[in-house]
Amino acid sequence: MDEMTREEIDEAISELDDAERDYLKLIISRVVRCFVDDDHEAVLLFGRESTTQIAMCTVNCEEIPAANMINYAHNLTSFMATVGAPAKEKFN
């Protein structure tokens, strides 16, 4: 995934609706906090639905903590996807 030019970024932002713009502002605020506060760290994953490749960027985060964050996120999203689902015995 290539870096966007300033003009491409400005054009893309101008096409966002208010909710999308607010969400982008939240994401940028959280990423910036990782650059200026040693107590905050981030792992950003970027991909496309059409491919299995991903790009990963970390901010203020070493490899092991990044791996731990990804593992925790996987466990959390797996739980959220299955909460309220019937027990596996009821699938038969």
Side-chain angles (χ1 to χ4, degrees):
M1 286 175 227
D2 298 325
E3 184 177 325
M4 297 172 72
T5 66
R6 177 63 190 215
E7 292 78 22
E8 290 171 324
I9 292 170
D10 290 343
E11 176 67 26
I13 291 173
S14 72
E15 295 176 10
L16 299 178
D17 64 32
D18 288 342
E20 292 169 326
R21 209 172 278 119
D22 287 344
Y23 190 59
L24 179 59
K25 182 179 176 182
L26 172 66
I27 292 169
I28 291 170
S29 296
R30 289 182 177 182
V31 170
V32 169
R33 170 124 11 226
C34 296
F35 280 99
V36 299
D37 187 339
D38 288 340
D39 194 42
H40 288 80
E41 55 193 17
V43 177
L44 304 159
L45 300 174
F46 303 92
R48 289 186 172 168
E49 190 173 351
S50 61
T51 181
T52 58
Q53 295 177 334
I54 62 168
M56 181 176 86
C57 299
T58 61
V59 181
N60 197 29
C61 191
E62 299 292 329
E63 290 177 6
I64 297 301
N68 290 338
M69 287 176 69
I70 292 169
N71 185 51
Y72 179 77
H74 168 73
N75 292 337
L76 180 62
T77 55
S78 294
F79 170 76
M80 290 172 21
T82 59
V83 70
K88 64 181 177 181
E89 297 83 28
K90 295 186 178 182
F91 284 119
N92 296 333

